[in-house]
Amino acid sequence: LKLVVLISGSGSNLRALLEAAAAAAFPARIVAVGADNDADGLAHAEEFGIPTFVVPPGSFDSREAWGTELVTTIEGWTPDLVVCAGFMRILPPNAVRALSPNLINIHPALLPLFPGAHAVREALSAGVIETGATVHIVDEGVDSGPVITQTVVPIQDGDTEATLHERIKIVERVLIVQTVRDIALTHINLKELART
Ligand code: GRF
């Protein structure tokens, strides 16, 4: 299975995928890594010799034009699956339609709870005793597509956004690798899931 991974930040989920995909037995390989900015995480791809690209929204006069360019760039690598791993942009509908359901995202909460860019902070302030991580198919909403898999992460007394997010990331790194593996081995059928 050929993957393109999209990031915006530190890329710890990306690194987990790079390390997993470096093993010959892993049923997927990363053909390129893209970002919306000069993300620190691109250094992980460079370390593993994986090509990178940056498509900055600011260079375009509309979200649709940015989306079109991003999709054109992605499709140039002919991936079977696009993985958003800390990609902090909402893809415009034209881009989602071009890529989904072979387009998944990992989110640091138990969707549909706490969608959006402040999931960890919102779980903390909501006073819930547990949160978690979700891998889902990206649809035209915000973190609203069909859930593929989730793992629960307990919230501990004294947790800050940083300590809780780090505990979630430990789980995410395992979850994203396992989910990509299951999709590659066809244990998960995204087209079926997207129809539910
Ligand atoms: C992850 O928690 C992911 O769920 C969220 O952004 C974070 C990205 O972290 N969307 P990293 O860039 O993979 O370290």
Side-chain angles (χ1 to χ4, degrees):
L1 198 78
K2 290 165 62 182
L3 309 178
V4 164
V5 182
L6 301 180
I7 65 168
S8 294
S10 52
S12 67
N13 280 282
L14 163 66
R15 186 168 187 92
L17 283 168
L18 286 163
E19 288 170 352
F26 194 71
R29 56 193 174 87
I30 300 168
V31 295
V33 174
D36 59 316
N37 76 95
D38 188 21
D40 292 346
L42 293 173
H44 297 313
E46 286 151 15
E47 182 186 328
F48 282 78
I50 307 293
T52 62
F53 59 85
V54 177
V55 184
S59 306
F60 300 84
D61 52 18
S62 74
R63 284 170 44 77
E64 285 63 32
W66 170 68
T68 300
E69 177 64 20
L70 183 61
V71 169
T72 301
T73 307
I74 289 168
E75 289 181 337
W77 293 99
T78 61
D80 302 301
L81 180 66
V82 178
V83 181
C84 297
F87 189 62
M88 302 310 280
R89 298 281 174 177
I90 305 301
L91 291 168
N94 59 316
V96 173
R97 280 195 296 274
L99 299 173
S100 200
N102 298 309
L103 172 64
I104 66 175
N105 179 49
I106 187 157
H107 182 76
L110 294 175
L111 293 174
L113 293 176
F114 313 120
H118 307 294
V120 178
R121 183 187 313 166
E122 287 172 5
L124 261 187
S125 54
V128 293
I129 61 170
E130 63 186 26
T131 182
T134 301
V135 180
H136 65 96
I137 293 172
V138 175
D139 68 5
E140 297 184 23
V142 178
D143 299 324
S144 56
V147 169
I148 298 171
T149 185
Q150 300 186 296
T151 303
V152 172
V153 174
I155 295 178
Q156 292 169 0
D157 291 346
D159 259 336
T160 63
E161 185 178 350
T163 60
L164 177 53
H165 202 165
E166 195 41 50
R167 191 175 316 117
I168 294 171
K169 282 189 172 188
I170 293 168
V171 161
E172 287 183 320
R173 293 193 274 268
V174 173
L175 198 61
I176 193 63
V177 169
Q178 184 59 46
T179 305
V180 165
R181 185 180 172 281
D182 288 345
I183 293 168
L185 297 178
T186 69
H187 299 328
I188 292 172
N189 183 322
L190 294 176
K191 284 182 178 43
E192 279 298 307
L193 258 179
R195 263 201 285 275
T196 52

